[in-house]
Amino acid sequence: MEPPAILLPALAPWFDLAGLAVFAASGALAAARRGQTMVTLAFFALITGVGGGTVRDLLIGAPVFWIVDSRAAAVCLSVALVIWVTPERWWRGAALDWFDAVGLAAYAVYGAAKALGYGVPPVPAFLMGVVTACVGGIIRDVLAGEPSILMRPELYVTAAALASALFIILSLSGMRGAFAAMIAAGAGFALRTAAIRWQIHLPAYRQRR
């Protein structure tokens, strides 16, 4: 496996920013659709964008990324401002779902790669990828009073798990970080978009009598 320092050498910042911007947008939109103020939009954008990465960094013992790099908070606040000044009709329909699929896959891979880079074993590193991709959305839903993504049958967390697990497997098999990242993120994105397009979901638990 590659040394941790060169996992995702060139793609890491782009994977990070893609997930950050898209999740920040989903948080700001959750507030905008409820007619909230700019302050609330900014708060929702920030907490949704950095929520998963913050939990990941605290768990793996890394410096919290948006505290040491001001660009992360700046991206979230900028996204909130863009949504605040643009017409609501720009954000209707399923467009955000498709962008969210990109962010989900990118953040899952990035989170897994960062965990591996900090010496976290493969199974916990896989879980850190899922946490990075999903926790921000869970916090957003709780604050907005919406059903959590954990309580929906649609393939959302599953897509993040696929991207994270595939990256771990490919990295451990010796594939270069950049190629492993592109393949893993592509697989997670494909699963999520298929779920959106064809309403694919996991079977629900059936009570045993």
Side-chain angles (χ1 to χ4, degrees), residues 10-11 22 79 154 178 203:
L11 293 179
V22 171
V79 167
E154 62 191 80

Side-chain angles (χ1 to χ4, degrees), residues 147-159 191-192 195-196 198-205:
S148 170
I149 56 175
L150 289 176
M151 303 300 291
R152 303 174 198 165
E154 62 191 80
L155 296 182
Y156 189 92
V157 177
T158 306
L191 181 59
R192 178 60 185 146
I196 295 171
W198 292 293
Q199 298 296 305
I200 303 173
H201 56 80
L202 294 174
Y205 174 75

Side-chain angles (χ1 to χ4, degrees), residues 45-155:
L46 184 64
I47 200 69
T48 306
V50 307
T54 299
V55 173
R56 175 204 63 220
D57 288 348
L58 291 173
L59 289 174
I60 68 175
V64 177
F65 73 105
W66 63 278
I67 299 297
V68 298
D69 185 354
S70 61
R71 291 176 299 176
V75 167
C76 293
L77 298 178
S78 298
V79 167
L81 180 61
V82 168
I83 291 175
W84 174 258
V85 301
T86 51
E88 182 186 0
R89 66 178 182 274
W90 288 16
W91 307 102
R92 291 176 180 167
L96 188 63
D97 289 337
W98 298 100
F99 285 115
D100 183 70
V102 175
L104 182 77
Y107 242 24
V109 169
Y110 181 79
K114 185 168 185 178
L116 285 179
Y118 273 80
V120 176
V123 173
F126 154 71
L127 294 175
M128 289 303 98
V130 177
V131 164
T132 304
C134 298
V135 166
I138 294 171
I139 297 173
R140 175 200 63 215
D141 291 343
V142 170
L143 292 176
E146 296 181 354
S148 170
I149 56 175
L150 289 176
M151 303 300 291
R152 303 174 198 165
E154 62 191 80
L155 296 182

